[in-house]
């Protein structure tokens, strides 16, 4: 059965609806209003006649028209009874926000098994429990109960996120907003009693607005299906995974968080390699990998050109490239000779090419055209245009962006965080040139493009 009703419902019921601002359903309503959701909203609660001005039904059995999706927020012990009403009403798609299941111990495990049985025997699809649910920026729909006044919602874009953790999901939303990275869809699926990452990957493979899928993973629902789905998806889109629960202590923490049985990490690593999935190891790397894959294409090879006007940064990046396995091949003689004829003798033409603090915007353009556009020796470039020298202006953004476009090869930019460079960063990224605020992050991002390039054609 398609998951489309979870992302594009025309009518929804909210079970446990209330205007009490301390209750999570209140935030779900307000988020939907703020997003301009155009579908029908049916509040369900026997204690109210109206909720936010909408007629409130005592029970889902009292609403006669079609409901595409139900959102349940009530206490876990009442959910089996509510699901029996869904069977009667033929409501086949449910997001269970409520916690109180396998993550709480034996009683919760029994309760979770019961709702799983109900869902399988009656063709009801469930996202959750113990989750935030779904956000679709393209249909202005969300089941998230975190107010948009506290968690910033990113604009529309081409990144979709799947997360077992609600707290990671919330943090990612804020960080994506601050980075200016647009989001298509976001799914927090918590205990994953039914719909899991494998089926969601299958769905997103056919989603035109998704180009990169980022996954926060504690465990996998179905290993074979995950490999099959990821292998097919990664032939068309990029998949980045942040796998937690890698060590014994993390495995135990995952079990008490979402009831997940994480299993041996070595098996996951092998599965990722087999299915074209890029693994990262912390939240910063996760966001950087998603960003660079959204903005640049994978590198065809491993030879990296570095151009800077700050020698120290060039040395640091050289070390990091070597540590990461990136090849800073020396500048070929022909390129070196041309540059020496056009630049002062105190410029350095080894790789990294150091244009020194005397360089201006045009010098970056000449170096890039000579070594990167007109010559096919290098596969990708890391550019470090430090902005404080007097000859450097914001015009360098257009110069580097234009040369990158002419080359047809991937380029990332490293700048150092400051008030002035923040503005420059925004200009670069408006032209799809990703900027990273430290040499370490720039090198890791380039390595993502190189590793992804090795996987192409999977």
């Amino acid at each position: 059965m398609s998951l489309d009703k979870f992302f594009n419902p025309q009518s929804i019921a909210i079970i446990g609806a209330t205007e009490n601002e301390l209750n999570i359903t209140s935030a779900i309503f307000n988020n939907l209003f703020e997003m301009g959701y155009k579908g029908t909203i049916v509040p369900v609660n026997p204690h109210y006649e109206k909720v936010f001005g909408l007629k409130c039904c005592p029970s889902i059995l009292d609403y006669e028209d079609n409901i595409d999706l139900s959102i349940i927020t009530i206490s876990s012990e009442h959910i089996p009874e509510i699901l029996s009403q869904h069977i009667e009403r033929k409501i086949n798609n449910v997001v269970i926000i409520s916690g109180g299941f396998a993550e709480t111990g034996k009683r919760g495990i029994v309760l979770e098994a019961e709702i799983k049985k109900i869902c399988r025997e009656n063709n009801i699809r469930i996202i959750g429990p113990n989750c935030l649910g779904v956000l679709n920026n393209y249909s202005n729909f969300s089941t998230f109960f975190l107010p948009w006044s506290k968690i910033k919602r990113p604009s529309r874009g081409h990144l979709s996120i799947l997360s077992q953790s609600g707290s990671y999901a919330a943090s990612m939303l804020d960080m994506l907003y601050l980075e200016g990275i647009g989001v298509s869809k976001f799914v927090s699926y918590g205990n994953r009693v039914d719909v899991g990452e494998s089926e969601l990957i299958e769905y997103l493979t056919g989603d035109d607005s998704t180009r990169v899928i980022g996954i926060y993973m504690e465990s996998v629902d179905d290993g074979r299906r995950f490999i099959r789905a990821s292998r097919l998806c990664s032939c068309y889109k990029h998949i980045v995974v942040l796998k937690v629960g890698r060590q014994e202590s993390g495995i135990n923490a995952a079990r008490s968080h979402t009831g997940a049985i994480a299993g041996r990490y070595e098996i996951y690593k092998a599965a990722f390699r087999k299915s074209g999935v890029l693994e990262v190891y912390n939240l910063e790397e996760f966001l950087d990998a998603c960003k660079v894959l959204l903005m640049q294409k994978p590198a065809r090879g491993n030879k990296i050109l570095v151009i800077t006007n700050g020698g120290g940064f060039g040395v640091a990046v050289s070390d990091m490239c070597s540590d990461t396995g990136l090849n800073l091949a020396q500048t070929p003689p022909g390129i070196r000779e041309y540059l020496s004829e056009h630049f002062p003798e105190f410029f350095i033409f080894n790789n990294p090419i150091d244009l020194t603090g005397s360089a201006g915007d045009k010098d970056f353009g000449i170096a890039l055209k000579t070594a990167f556009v007109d010559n096919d020796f290098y596969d990708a470039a890391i550019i470090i245009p430090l902005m404080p020298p007097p000859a450097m202006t914001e015009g360098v953004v257009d110069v580097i962006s234009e040369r990158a476009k002419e080359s047809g090869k991937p380029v990332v930019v490293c700048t150092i965080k400051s008030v002035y460079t923040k503005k420059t960063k925004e200009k670069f990224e408006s032209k799809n040139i990703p900027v990273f605020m430290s040499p370490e992050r720039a090198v890791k991002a380039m390595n993502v493009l190189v590793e992804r390039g090795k996987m192409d054609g999977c």
Side-chain angles (χ1 to χ4, degrees):
M1 183 188 296
S2 168
L3 301 180
D4 202 53
K5 298 289 187 189
F6 284 102
F7 296 97
N8 300 291
Q10 298 303 305
S11 53
I12 61 170
I14 301 180
I15 314 297
T18 172
E19 292 183 23
N20 181 350
E21 61 183 18
L22 298 180
N23 187 291
I24 60 174
T25 57
S26 175
I28 294 173
F29 275 100
N30 285 317
N31 284 347
L32 287 167
F33 296 151
E34 185 179 325
M35 292 175 73
Y37 172 66
K38 300 296 185 188
T40 301
I41 304 176
V42 181
V44 178
N45 192 324
H47 302 295
Y48 303 107
E49 292 186 355
K50 285 193 172 183
V51 172
F52 290 107
L54 302 169
K55 184 183 177 184
C56 186
C57 297
S59 155
I60 195 66
L61 299 174
D62 298 306
Y63 187 77
E64 295 181 353
D65 290 339
N66 181 60
I67 294 290
D68 283 343
L69 176 69
S70 172
I71 304 160
I72 299 178
T73 66
I74 60 175
S75 297
S76 56
E77 64 266 26
H78 301 303
I79 291 179
E81 178 190 345
I82 294 297
L83 287 178
S84 68
Q85 295 175 4
H86 283 60
I87 297 168
E88 191 172 339
R89 281 287 289 106
K90 300 187 187 314
I91 299 172
N92 294 320
N93 304 290
V94 180
V95 175
I96 302 178
I97 306 290
S98 318
F101 291 92
E103 78 280 7
T104 61
K106 291 182 180 177
R107 183 176 168 279
I109 291 172
V110 171
L111 190 56
E112 188 166 305
E114 184 179 357
I115 65 166
K116 192 170 190 173
K117 184 169 183 287
I118 293 172
C119 123
R120 288 191 171 172
E121 290 181 351
N122 297 281
N123 202 27
I124 294 177
R125 305 308 314 273
I126 295 177
I127 287 181
N130 187 27
C131 70
L132 295 175
V134 174
L135 163 70
N136 182 1
N137 257 341
Y138 286 87
S139 64
N140 296 326
F141 174 69
S142 165
T143 67
F144 282 26
F145 61 81
L146 305 170
W148 297 135
S149 58
K150 292 185 176 179
I151 299 291
K152 292 298 182 185
R153 180 167 58 92
S155 59
R156 288 180 179 177
H158 301 290
L159 172 64
S160 287
I161 301 281
L162 310 177
S163 175
Q164 273 180 278
S165 164
S167 58
Y168 255 84
S171 301
M172 287 177 190
L173 277 177
D174 252 349
M175 294 175 77
L176 290 167
Y177 173 85
L178 290 172
E179 270 295 322
I181 300 173
V183 164
S184 173
K185 296 171 180 64
F186 209 123
V187 185
S188 152
Y189 49 91
N191 291 17
R192 193 188 46 206
V193 73
D194 179 28
V195 178
E197 56 282 322
S198 302
E199 192 171 2
L200 289 163
I201 289 169
E202 289 167 359
Y203 177 80
L204 293 173
T205 299
D207 180 41
D208 291 340
S209 63
T210 297
R211 295 211 311 262
V212 176
I213 301 170
I215 307 174
Y216 165 93
M217 177 185 291
E218 293 178 4
S219 65
V220 158
D221 52 351
D222 180 336
R224 289 180 187 276
R225 188 174 183 178
F226 174 81
I227 291 173
R228 193 166 57 244
S230 299
R231 184 180 285 166
L232 175 63
C233 182
S234 63
C235 290
Y236 307 99
K237 305 182 181 194
H238 307 302
I239 305 176
V240 178
V241 166
L242 173 58
K243 172 72 179 73
V244 299
R246 297 192 292 269
Q247 308 299 331
E248 192 61 34
S249 56
I251 291 171
N252 292 334
R255 188 175 296 121
S256 60
H257 177 220
T258 60
I261 308 298
R264 286 180 56 198
Y265 175 53
E266 292 76 14
I267 296 174
Y268 283 93
K269 283 190 79 71
F272 297 154
R273 281 196 298 270
K274 196 172 181 180
S275 52
V277 172
L278 286 160
E279 186 183 9
V280 294
Y281 301 96
N282 59 53
L283 188 52
E284 185 177 81
E285 289 180 12
F286 179 83
L287 295 174
D288 286 351
C290 291
K291 180 168 105 170
V292 79
L293 288 168
L294 283 166
M295 294 185 176
Q296 293 289 292
K297 66 181 185 181
R300 68 184 180 189
N302 193 29
K303 289 199 288 290
I304 309 301
L305 170 68
V306 176
I307 300 179
T308 182
N309 57 342
F313 282 95
V315 174
V317 165
S318 298
D319 278 341
M320 292 167 202
C321 284
S322 297
D323 292 341
T324 312
L326 299 177
N327 178 13
L328 258 67
Q330 284 300 295
T331 314
I335 296 174
R336 191 190 296 260
E337 286 168 14
Y338 184 89
L339 292 175
S340 64
E341 290 171 4
H342 290 77
F343 284 137
E345 61 182 14
F346 56 86
F347 281 22
I348 297 168
F349 306 123
N350 296 325
N351 189 17
I353 294 175
D354 181 5
L355 304 175
T356 79
S358 299
D361 305 345
K362 290 182 180 177
D363 297 321
F364 275 90
I366 293 168
L368 265 169
K369 182 166 174 49
T370 305
F372 198 57
V373 177
D374 294 344
N375 192 296
D376 219 22
F377 181 73
Y378 291 107
D379 301 308
I382 299 173
I383 313 298
I384 315 170
L386 302 180
M387 299 306 293
M392 293 293 290
T393 76
E394 291 176 17
V396 78
V397 173
D398 291 329
V399 171
I400 291 174
S401 303
E402 191 56 38
R403 293 291 182 252
K405 186 176 177 184
E406 289 170 6
S407 76
K409 294 181 280 189
V411 169
V412 304
V413 165
C414 171
T415 61
I416 306 308
K417 201 169 190 176
S418 73
V419 174
Y420 187 79
T421 53
K422 182 174 181 295
K423 192 174 168 187
T424 311
K425 174 179 180 291
E426 290 171 356
K427 287 193 169 187
F428 268 120
E429 294 190 342
S430 72
K431 297 175 181 292
N432 271 337
I433 302 292
V435 176
F436 301 94
M437 291 297 188
S438 74
E440 293 88 347
R441 293 177 69 174
V443 170
K444 285 182 179 179
M446 178 55 75
N447 192 50
V448 165
L449 295 176
V450 170
E451 290 300 314
R452 185 66 181 103
K454 293 176 185 174
M455 295 176 178
D456 268 353
C458 61

